[in-house]
Amino acid sequence: MPEDELSRSSHSNPGKSLVNGIKTNPASNNPKSSLSMPLGPPVYVDLAYIPNHCSGKNTDPEFFKRVRASYYVVSGNDAANGEPSRAVLDALLEGKSQWGENLQVTLIPTHDTEVTREWYQQTHEKQQELNIMVLASSSTVVMQDESFPACKIEF
């Protein structure tokens, strides 16, 4: 759409605006509900970083239905901010259960947290059913005067 048409369309329809070329209603509090475009097919990737340190603020089952990865990295290590979020880890199980194919998935936590340990223990049977493996690592990387836990990933 030429720029002058785009500008006219937003002026001639003051109750609506365009976001990424899609008409939305700014009065709506939920941007997901205002999108009128149907979702496309899922995206398959080798490695995906779970957004925002695995916080429930940005990631839900829809993420795992749409972004299908062989490896998901969980980097959260801030219990006070809900990182990693148990709800996001549960969303992985819910999303993966709807894939319709039993592809191997590996979850890579970068920190050993109480949330990930409890989730692992409480959902282990479901993980096995869904072909999800959780890497545990006691490796430590030392750089200069700092040391931190790490996982090695090979493809």
Side-chain angles (χ1 to χ4, degrees):
M1 173 182 288
E3 191 172 291
D4 59 333
E5 284 182 44
L6 178 63
S7 131
R8 261 187 274 129
S9 71
S10 55
H11 291 294
S12 65
N13 197 353
K16 303 227 179 212
S17 62
L18 290 176
V19 175
N20 293 329
I22 301 169
K23 287 185 181 182
T24 62
N25 182 350
S28 171
N29 291 334
N30 184 355
K32 288 182 183 177
S33 68
S34 64
L35 297 178
S36 59
M37 179 182 243
L39 297 175
V43 176
Y44 290 86
V45 296
D46 290 328
L47 178 70
Y49 177 88
I50 298 176
N52 200 23
H53 304 288
C54 197
S55 167
K57 297 173 190 169
N58 299 66
T59 309
D60 60 9
E62 192 62 34
F63 173 80
F64 296 105
K65 291 176 196 171
R66 307 262 309 126
V67 179
R68 299 181 181 186
S70 297
Y71 299 86
Y72 289 102
V73 176
V74 177
S75 70
N77 190 26
D78 185 357
N81 283 320
E83 300 168 3
S85 165
R86 169 69 189 250
V88 172
L89 297 172
D90 289 339
L92 167 63
L93 298 175
E94 183 182 333
K96 172 97 170 50
S97 70
Q98 296 182 30
W99 286 12
E101 49 198 332
N102 199 15
L103 301 174
Q104 170 73 48
V105 167
T106 303
L107 191 66
I108 306 167
T110 60
H111 295 87
D112 182 21
T113 67
E114 187 174 329
V115 169
T116 53
R117 276 192 310 266
E118 285 180 4
W119 176 82
Y120 176 80
Q121 292 169 352
Q122 293 170 0
T123 65
H124 188 69
E125 193 172 299
K126 184 74 171 173
Q127 294 167 44
Q128 289 179 320
E129 177 187 314
L130 293 171
N131 204 15
I132 297 173
M133 180 177 72
V134 179
L135 285 185
S137 174
S138 58
S139 299
T140 303
V141 173
V142 178
M143 294 178 70
Q144 298 172 355
D145 294 331
E146 245 185 294
S147 66
F148 47 90
C151 288
K152 179 180 178 183
I153 305 170
E154 292 183 24
F155 293 93

